[in-house]
């Protein structure tokens, strides 16, 4: 007998799919969706345990569900790891570890150490020490950069990137730039720079398409 279907059996895959889309379309790494991933891992463990005792005629369907959840979880994690690799210096310089899971933080720390060691071994030994050190140090806020000072190595994500945003919860007093405040109604779709919907995406009130 197959396990009884619940609302989470439908909402969980949909939630994972949306989290994948949000990460794909967001120029920034978003907060790790711990609750959703824990739910997915718990569901996987339950399905795999049930699979061991299920009749052979049910195994194909259960295997499909297990493989589908595994794919979504792996896809979500791989997208985030790729973002960490691409923006490791930006994450490090801006102390964005709060957005990462424990495993992601350990990966980021290991990757950062390996990256800076590679720079040191392959590049920094050929330039003046003070110049090389400055490449990995973020300038203090408010400090003016000398015309001869090296540019920061961390390539900040483009928060002005336009994204298609789908409103899933009505938002009062939404504003863009110097324009007036408007109400975003549930179901509205708009194309705006990501920076204006960043907090709404993080709160789940707006999703990216």
């Amino acid at each position: 007998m197959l396990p009884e279907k619940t609302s989470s059996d439908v909402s969980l895959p949909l939630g994972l799919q949306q989290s994948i889309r949000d990460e794909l379309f967001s120029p920034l790494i978003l907060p790790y969706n711990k609750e959703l991933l824990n739910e997915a891992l718990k569901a996987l463990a339950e399905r795999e345990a049930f699979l061991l005792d299920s009749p052979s005629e049910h195994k194909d369907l259960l295997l499909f569900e297990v493989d589908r959840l595994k794919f979504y979880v792996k896809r979500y994690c791989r997208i985030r790891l790729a973002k960490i690799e691409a923006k490791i210096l930006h994450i490090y310089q801006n102390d964005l570890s709060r957005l990462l899971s424990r495993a992601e933080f350990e990966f980021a720390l290991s990757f950062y150490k390996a990256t800076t060691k590679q720079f040191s071994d392959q590049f920094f030994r050929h330039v003046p020490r003070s110049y090389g050190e400055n490449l990995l140090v973020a300038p203090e806020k408010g400090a003016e950069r000398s015309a001869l000072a090296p540019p920061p190595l961390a390539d900040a994500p483009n928060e002005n990137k336009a994204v298609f945003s789908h409103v899933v919860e009505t938002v009062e007093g939404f504003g863009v730039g110097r324009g007036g405040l408007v109400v975003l109604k549930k179901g509205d779709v708009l194309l705006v720079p990501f920076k204006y919907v960043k907090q709404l995406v993080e709160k789940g009130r707006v999703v990216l398409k």
Side-chain angles (χ1 to χ4, degrees):
M1 181 178 179
L2 288 171
E4 185 178 351
K5 288 284 186 179
T6 65
S7 59
S8 65
D9 292 324
V10 177
S11 62
L12 182 55
L14 293 177
L16 288 168
Q17 289 177 44
Q18 187 56 61
S19 291
I20 289 170
R21 285 194 292 268
D22 286 345
E23 285 291 353
L24 277 174
F25 298 130
S26 166
L28 309 177
I29 189 165
L30 298 172
Y32 177 73
N33 198 332
K34 182 179 179 179
E35 182 178 349
L36 181 66
L37 267 292
N38 284 347
E39 185 181 351
L41 294 176
K42 179 181 177 182
L44 275 172
E46 292 174 349
R47 287 290 186 272
E48 289 178 331
F50 193 88
L51 191 58
L52 295 175
D53 300 322
S54 64
S56 57
E57 63 267 22
H58 295 155
K59 285 190 175 181
D60 286 344
L61 180 57
L62 285 173
L63 279 172
F64 173 77
E65 292 184 0
V66 168
D67 288 343
R68 181 174 63 155
L69 282 179
K70 283 184 177 180
F71 172 80
Y72 290 147
V73 170
K74 290 179 180 179
R75 177 67 170 150
Y76 176 77
C77 293
R78 285 171 179 166
I79 293 171
R80 289 180 60 82
L81 291 180
K83 279 187 169 183
I84 291 171
E85 289 183 349
K87 301 297 181 182
I88 185 62
L89 293 179
H90 174 76
I91 290 171
Y92 176 79
Q93 290 179 356
N94 292 277
D95 191 21
L96 300 181
S97 59
R98 67 186 184 280
L99 303 178
L100 311 179
S101 69
R102 180 63 187 175
E104 288 173 340
F105 173 76
E106 292 175 355
F107 169 81
L109 185 60
S110 175
F111 186 78
Y112 174 78
K113 289 179 178 178
T115 301
T116 52
K117 184 179 186 302
Q118 182 181 26
F119 281 142
S120 178
D121 292 344
Q122 303 297 325
F123 177 70
F124 289 163
R125 63 184 176 181
H126 300 297
V127 298
R129 183 175 179 180
S130 60
Y131 184 93
E133 290 175 345
N134 286 337
L135 283 175
L136 290 178
V137 177
E140 295 182 3
K141 292 184 178 180
E144 294 185 4
R145 180 177 294 280
S146 165
L148 298 178
L153 193 58
D155 180 21
N158 179 18
E159 293 190 48
N160 289 311
K161 174 186 175 183
V163 293
F164 282 101
S165 307
H166 179 213
V167 182
V168 295
E169 180 183 327
T170 298
V171 178
E172 303 284 347
F174 177 79
V176 177
R178 297 181 179 179
L181 299 179
V182 297
V183 175
L184 299 182
K185 297 181 180 179
K186 181 178 179 179
D188 286 350
V189 176
L190 56 156
L191 180 63
V192 293
F194 176 77
K195 62 183 180 182
Y196 294 117
V197 294
K198 175 184 174 182
Q199 292 185 351
L200 296 177
V201 171
E202 292 178 353
K203 294 177 180 178
R205 304 181 71 182
V206 167
V207 296
L208 303 183
K209 295 293 186 180

